[in-house]
Amino acid sequence: MHKAPQALLGSVVTGMENFEDTGKEAGNGRGKKDMGETRRKKRRKGKSGVMSALLCLFALGALTACLVLWLQNRRLGLEAAEAAAFMETAYRQEEVEAMVEQAAEEAARQAALDKEEEILGEIRRWMEEGEGTSAMLRELYPDEIVVASEGRYHFFPITERLRHHSYVKEQFVLNEEDELEYWEAGQVVSRKGIDVSKYQGEIDWEKVAADGVEYAFIRLGIRGYGEGKLILDDAYERNAEEALDSGLDVGVYFFTQAKNREEAVEEAEFVLEHVKNYDISYPVVLDVEEVAEDSARTADMDKQAWTEVCIAFCERIKEAGYTPMIYGNLKTFFLMLDMEQLEGYEKWFAYYRTPLYFPYEFSIWQYTSTGRVDGIKGDVDLNVSMKDWG
């Protein structure tokens, strides 16, 4: 677009040489011609020199402008090259990002495959060790309570709407006799207890007390699941008297088959009638369990009906000055009852495995049905209590 700076510089130099030659010729002509002619020629030559000088200045200006334009063009060229390099770099960066994304997807797929293999390995281990499907599912779904019933599995998300217990699972420890204890600050803070009925036969309560048992829940009676008759346990009175004489704290429990509030109050009155002659310091318990018989009078009861039975019984017991409590297992508390309506009552939880599998508030854990205690022939239920009502 413009002449190169070297060409323009050459033109300027040529102009300057012409200007010098003109001056030389003017000097040589003075001795050959007369003075007048010399003056005229001098004036003509002077004008020509001025013109040459002006042309040189113009050429210098043009050269300067060309230099400026050339520098601008070079700057623009460098900027264009930088822009091109940036575009090329950006393109490469997009490629790199695509590669990173592809690598991340591949890593995610591999992680999923590894996790799948890990889970399958754990499932195989659980099956080989005979842990059972329930135990396996409870580890696979730690944020839910898994309850097995009638060939199905029910999943209950752990909710914050219910009060949670503050026990630390690792602080429930089996001692040398395989008895569960709860430890805090280096010492046992729980109490050892049992629950019995006529099925334990005749009990030597002095030996029971000497074996470290501190309290006993004694079955007071039941309502029959067929006709619904209220029945006093055959061994209740003997067990209550002898347990108290041996220095144990005593509570009682009643197995319910009440179908409504009225029958629940009837059961409570039956219990109150038979505890009035004994120093019952531990809770009076409503035993709520599913009867696996189609002919059971409670077979068609729904969750709300069961919950209303519990409320009616517990309120009547509390009104009489005793501590009401509800006994049950996972089915009881998750399938049969609405626990949100029962927050105000003590809970006795039956679960025969460790670690503890119950997130909500409870006071007593029945942890085995095959315990052994001096003074009792055969198996007996063992309990660990974190409260002392005595």
Side-chain angles (χ1 to χ4, degrees):
M1 224 178 138
H2 301 283
K3 289 184 178 180
Q6 291 85 349
L8 290 171
L9 184 59
S11 299
V12 173
V13 171
T14 302
M16 293 296 290
E17 288 175 348
N18 291 336
F19 177 73
E20 290 176 359
D21 290 343
T22 303
K24 289 178 182 178
E25 291 175 0
N28 292 334
R30 288 193 201 97
K32 296 179 180 179
K33 300 186 180 193
D34 58 27
M35 187 64 69
E37 184 66 24
T38 299
R39 291 194 189 98
R40 286 193 298 269
K41 288 183 179 181
K42 189 175 182 179
R43 284 194 295 269
R44 287 197 296 268
K45 295 292 183 181
K47 290 180 182 179
S48 175
V50 171
M51 290 299 295
S52 296
L54 289 173
L55 287 172
C56 289
L57 290 174
F58 176 77
L60 285 172
L63 175 62
T64 302
C66 288
L67 285 171
V68 171
L69 290 173
W70 181 79
L71 291 172
Q72 289 178 343
N73 284 341
R74 180 154 181 87
R75 179 176 60 79
L76 291 173
L78 290 172
E79 290 178 353
E82 289 176 358
F86 174 79
M87 293 299 292
E88 184 179 357
T89 302
Y91 178 71
R92 288 201 302 269
Q93 185 175 355
E94 289 176 0
E95 287 183 332
V96 171
E97 289 177 353
M99 292 172 62
V100 169
E101 183 176 354
Q102 183 179 357
E105 291 176 356
E106 182 62 30
R109 282 194 296 270
Q110 187 60 48
L113 289 174
D114 293 343
K115 187 64 177 177
E116 182 179 347
E117 290 181 4
E118 179 185 346
I119 291 173
L120 290 174
E122 286 296 301
I123 290 173
R124 180 172 181 172
R125 179 183 64 79
W126 284 316
M127 295 298 104
E128 289 176 343
E129 294 178 359
E131 291 292 330
T133 306
S134 294
M136 175 186 68
L137 291 174
R138 286 164 188 169
E139 287 197 38
L140 291 175
Y141 295 89
D143 296 326
E144 298 180 81
I145 298 297
V146 182
V147 182
S149 177
E150 298 178 356
R152 294 181 55 199
Y153 292 92
H154 305 263
F155 296 79
F156 296 90
I158 297 175
T159 177
E160 296 300 322
R161 294 194 302 272
L162 293 169
R163 290 192 298 270
H164 289 226
H165 65 71
S166 59
Y167 310 131
V168 179
K169 292 181 182 180
E170 292 75 18
Q171 291 174 201
F172 286 102
V173 180
L174 287 171
N175 63 21
E176 294 179 354
E177 287 77 33
D178 284 334
E179 297 169 352
L180 199 64
E181 299 171 331
Y182 189 70
W183 287 69
E184 284 183 351
Q187 61 182 355
V188 178
V189 295
S190 58
R191 306 190 83 210
K192 176 182 176 180
I194 61 174
D195 58 271
V196 299
S197 69
K198 67 178 183 179
Y199 297 108
Q200 271 68 49
E202 189 168 345
I203 298 172
D204 186 333
W205 285 98
E206 292 294 335
K207 288 185 178 180
V208 169
D211 197 21
V213 174
E214 298 171 273
Y215 62 92
F217 283 98
I218 297 168
R219 189 173 80 164
L220 185 145
I222 66 170
R223 184 190 285 274
Y225 69 83
E227 297 179 358
K229 182 180 179 180
L230 299 179
I231 303 170
L232 188 70
D233 187 284
D234 293 340
Y236 164 66
E237 292 178 342
R238 182 184 73 247
N239 282 334
E241 290 173 2
E242 293 183 6
L244 287 168
D245 288 345
S246 299
L248 272 66
D249 292 318
V250 171
V252 300
Y253 69 95
F254 184 89
F255 179 80
T256 181
Q257 280 289 284
K259 296 177 64 177
N260 50 47
R261 287 177 175 270
E262 290 73 25
E263 289 188 353
V265 172
E266 181 185 16
E267 291 177 354
E269 295 293 351
F270 181 82
V271 169
L272 292 172
E273 177 63 25
H274 289 90
V275 298
K276 64 182 181 182
N277 295 325
Y278 301 101
D279 182 15
I280 304 300
S281 57
Y282 262 53
V284 173
V285 183
L286 187 65
D287 182 353
V288 183
E289 299 179 65
E290 179 185 49
V291 175
E293 295 286 344
D294 293 337
S295 59
R297 66 198 311 270
T298 56
D300 296 328
M301 285 177 63
D302 60 18
K303 181 177 285 191
Q304 185 57 36
W306 275 111
T307 302
E308 290 176 359
V309 162
C310 290
I311 292 172
F313 179 91
C314 290
E315 285 300 306
R316 180 65 188 96
I317 295 299
K318 183 167 65 174
E319 184 181 272
Y322 296 92
T323 300
M325 177 178 273
I326 301 169
Y327 167 93
N329 52 27
L330 288 172
K331 284 186 180 181
T332 303
F333 291 120
F334 289 93
L335 295 178
M336 297 175 66
L337 300 176
D338 180 0
M339 291 183 64
E340 290 191 40
Q341 298 183 53
L342 303 173
E343 279 272 64
Y345 307 117
E346 299 278 3
K347 309 293 190 310
W348 178 5
F349 178 53
Y351 183 69
Y352 300 155
R353 298 178 65 90
T354 55
L356 175 65
Y357 190 69
F358 194 75
Y360 306 121
E361 277 192 345
F362 71 97
S363 303
I364 301 175
W365 179 3
Q366 184 187 82
Y367 62 91
T368 183
S369 60
T370 57
R372 294 288 174 153
V373 171
D374 287 347
I376 298 177
K377 297 176 183 179
D379 296 336
V380 64
D381 296 339
L382 292 180
N383 301 275
V384 56
S385 174
M386 276 61 71
K387 281 189 178 182
D388 180 7
W389 290 273

